[in-house]
């Protein structure tokens, strides 16, 4: 289980509550997750090598702890060594035209409604030999998507950012709903321990 799993679990809870309050049905929502395909020796280098994979968010699940289990199972399937190696090989060797086709398909609102990004901005406040003193993450909002959400790690803190189209009803409530869902998950896990 990772911080990203908690983030996506909270996002599922927030979107579920938002859907109910805004009167906008969300029968199925997948988050489009960038998967880091860098080799181990490339992990603390500038730039990225990523591949996008949709992960279905369990909006209908009422229990925060069960929601976390479902998210963790979905993300761990993406992280397993054979699948990660396949992603690494696709990123490295797939020709440009099939890559462009895949990205158009995978970013379609028919496949996913949310772009969710997790970015470790720096390890301990540094990237390689460069000290990083601050960062800002602006999540991508794709046409037809509900929102873009980014979880960024920097040193010993994390930051969550939302990008929402102003036309989305009650979209400004999503960050607060996400915070509420994190607190609800923490209470649920604390009482179970």
């Amino acid at each position: 289980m990772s911080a990203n799993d908690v983030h996506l679990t909270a996002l599922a809870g927030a979107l579920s509550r938002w859907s109910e309050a805004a009167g906008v049905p969300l029968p199925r929502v997948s988050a489009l997750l960038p998967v880091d395909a860098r080799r181990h020796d490339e992990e603390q280098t500038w730039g990225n090598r990523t591949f996008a994979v949709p992960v279905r968010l369990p909006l209908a699940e009422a229990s925060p702890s069960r929601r976390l289990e479902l998210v963790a199972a979905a993300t761990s399937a993406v992280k397993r060594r054979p699948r990660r190696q396949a992603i690494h090989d696709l990123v490295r060797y797939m020709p440009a035209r099939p890559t462009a086709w895949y990205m158009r398909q995978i970013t379609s609102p028919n496949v996913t409604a949310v772009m969710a990004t997790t970015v470790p901005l720096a390890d301990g406040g540094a990237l390689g030999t460069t000290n990083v003193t601050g960062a800002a993450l602006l999540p991508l909002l794709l046409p037809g998507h509900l929102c873009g959400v980014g979880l960024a790690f920097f040193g010993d803190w994390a930051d969550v950012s939302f990008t929402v189209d102003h036309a989305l009803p009650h979209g400004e409530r999503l960050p607060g709903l996400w915070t509420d869902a994190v607190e609800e998950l923490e209470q649920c896990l604390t009482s179970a321990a």
Side-chain angles (χ1 to χ4, degrees), residues 121-144:
L121 295 175
D123 183 18
L127 184 58
T129 59
T130 304
N131 286 330
V132 179
T133 58
L137 177 63
L138 183 60
L140 183 63
L141 179 60
L142 297 174

Side-chain angles (χ1 to χ4, degrees), residues 61-193:
E61 179 56 56
S63 165
S65 58
R66 178 69 181 136
R67 200 179 311 135
L68 179 59
E69 289 172 15
L70 293 169
V71 167
T75 60
S76 70
V78 172
K79 296 177 205 171
R80 287 192 191 107
R81 186 168 178 81
R83 190 160 184 190
R84 189 173 178 107
Q85 183 62 48
I87 289 169
H88 173 77
D89 292 343
L90 282 170
V91 169
R92 181 159 264 196
Y93 302 114
M94 194 158 86
R97 290 186 78 182
T99 300
W101 175 86
Y102 175 80
M103 291 307 294
R104 281 192 307 275
Q105 297 304 309
I106 204 70
T107 58
S108 163
N110 296 330
V111 174
T112 182
V114 177
M115 173 67 82
T117 304
T118 301
V119 180
L121 295 175
D123 183 18
L127 184 58
T129 59
T130 304
N131 286 330
V132 179
T133 58
L137 177 63
L138 183 60
L140 183 63
L141 179 60
L142 297 174
H145 286 214
L146 295 172
C147 60
V149 184
L151 173 65
F153 295 96
F154 175 76
D156 61 353
W157 60 262
D159 183 58
V160 176
S161 304
F162 282 78
T163 304
V164 179
D165 187 320
H166 66 84
L168 189 68
H170 307 293
E172 72 282 355
R173 293 188 57 211
L174 281 170
L177 292 170
W178 181 91
T179 301
D180 293 346
V182 169
E183 291 171 359
E184 181 182 34
L185 178 60
E186 180 181 30
Q187 290 170 359
C188 183
L189 295 175
T190 301
S191 66

